[in-house]
Amino acid sequence: MSEERTFCGKLPGQPATHSCQIGRVPLGGKAPVVVQSMTNTDTADVESTARQCAELSEAGSDLVRITVNTPEAAAAVPKILDRLLQLNCSVPLIGDFHYNGHRLLADHPACAEALAKYRINPGNVGFGKNKDTQFAALVEMACRYEKPIRIGVNWGSLDQALLARLLDENSKRHVPKEASEVTREAMITSALESADQAQMLGLPEQHIILSCKVSNAQDLIFIYQELAARSRFALHLGLTEAGMGIKGIVASTAPLAILLQQGIGDTIRISLTPTPGASRTDEVIVARELLQSLELRAFMPQVTACPGCGRAASGFFQELAQSVEAHIRMRLPLWRETYEGIDALRVAVMGCIVNGPGESRHANIGISLPGANESPSAPVFEDGKKTQTLKDEHILTDFLKLLERYVERTYPKKPTPP
């Protein structure tokens, strides 16, 4: 069910991280940045959870995390995996555990084996004298089934004993730090100390992924820069409780773009709050757009179109851009089956002479429509050179024909299966 995806690799300067395999998905090291999402269904409901996992995978999520919080949810995990196979979906599943994960994994070995990765929270894995015992039990299960663990610190459930210890140490300093600085350090310390503990218990370093999630962009940037400087574990990026709509998108993508540009991060999630009844796939779409905008991965051809201004003669360039995007979406499944590298295709549809020819030259193929008081002709550029001039009412159909010819001529055909 999942579409083929093109991996572009990371920007230069990526800190060396340990790498592992999450199901069929490589993570860390020089592997491309991975898109992750999470279901919001009752995991005990096998059908609805499997269908949402498949929907997220179809939208482009490389990994899907599911809540495992009850015996019923744990018992459902292998059934969900079976149902996904029936739906022709092989997306790896991550189990999200809080409070009782040690017990659920021990009582449901089929769940422990079916999951591709475990996510645990050192802030609530156990309390008091039970914390180390229950943490060790989780690590033991991961070692037994050879599963990676994400040690996910969250400032909403930070280890209070650790925070109290660091606050006490800070109060004895000659010049105490701000409470916010101590909280940041507590999160980093929680992640790194937990990773050290897991390694001492036998979990290989390449099977450890770290995350420290906060809901403030500046805190997120600082914490992950410190994590990257002080360790070489794979890192999962995400702003927790980002919010809804445009606010959530901007709040998440702003810090993640900075970190990714610095080569920090191996897997990401955009934690958007969906509107009631809306699809969960928006978070996947935003994550993919972020990675493609940074040229870290290529998921599908891109259409560049100008926003329009008073120079545009009409809204035709908007209609043309919309029609070109629709044509690409319609043709893409066949193109992917036929051609190598088609996801990197860049098309430009511009509305006047100011930036139109220049943008069109930068694209693989582009068209610059006439603006107000301009000559009624539309030059077409292919790989930086003007190749055609289109006119009259057939511009759309003629440009789509040129696009088809460009694809056929430019991208090598995949070998025919024996």
Side-chain angles (χ1 to χ4, degrees), residues 348-359:
V349 179
M350 304 301 294
C352 79
I353 199 171
V354 174
N355 293 317
E359 285 283 358

Side-chain angles (χ1 to χ4, degrees), residues 179-225:
S180 59
E181 294 180 77
V182 179
T183 301
R184 287 174 172 178
E185 183 58 34
M187 295 190 67
I188 296 165
T189 300
S190 178
L192 294 178
E193 287 186 352
S194 297
D196 288 343
Q197 186 180 358
Q199 285 183 266
M200 287 189 289
L201 291 166
L203 190 66
E205 57 190 7
Q206 68 267 24
H207 279 190
I208 297 173
I209 299 97
L210 300 184
S211 70
C212 286
K213 289 194 173 184
V214 297
S215 55
N216 176 277
Q218 293 296 341
D219 286 325
L220 190 82
I221 294 167
F222 177 87
I223 287 170
Y224 275 96
Q225 287 173 336

Side-chain angles (χ1 to χ4, degrees), residues 9-17 29-31 33 224-225 228-229 232-235 237 256-267 294 296:
K10 294 183 179 176
L11 293 169
Q14 164 69 21
T17 57
K30 295 183 179 180
V33 180
Y224 275 96
Q225 287 173 336
R232 288 295 179 263
F233 296 108
L235 300 178
L237 305 185
L256 264 61
I258 292 170
L259 292 167
L260 290 166
Q261 182 66 23
Q262 295 173 356
I264 298 171
D266 301 280
T267 172
L294 292 172
L296 293 175

Side-chain angles (χ1 to χ4, degrees), residues 287-302 343-345:
R288 284 160 56 98
E289 288 291 342
L290 173 61
L291 294 178
Q292 182 138 341
S293 295
L294 292 172
E295 298 184 2
L296 293 175
R297 288 180 64 177
F299 298 103
M300 66 178 299
Q302 295 290 289
D343 286 323
L345 173 68

Side-chain angles (χ1 to χ4, degrees), residues 303-306 317-318 320-321 324 347-351 360 366-367 369 399:
V303 177
T304 299
C306 66
F317 77 93
Q318 297 165 305
L320 180 60
V324 170
V347 182
V349 179
M350 304 301 294
S360 297
I367 184 170
L369 297 174
F399 183 68

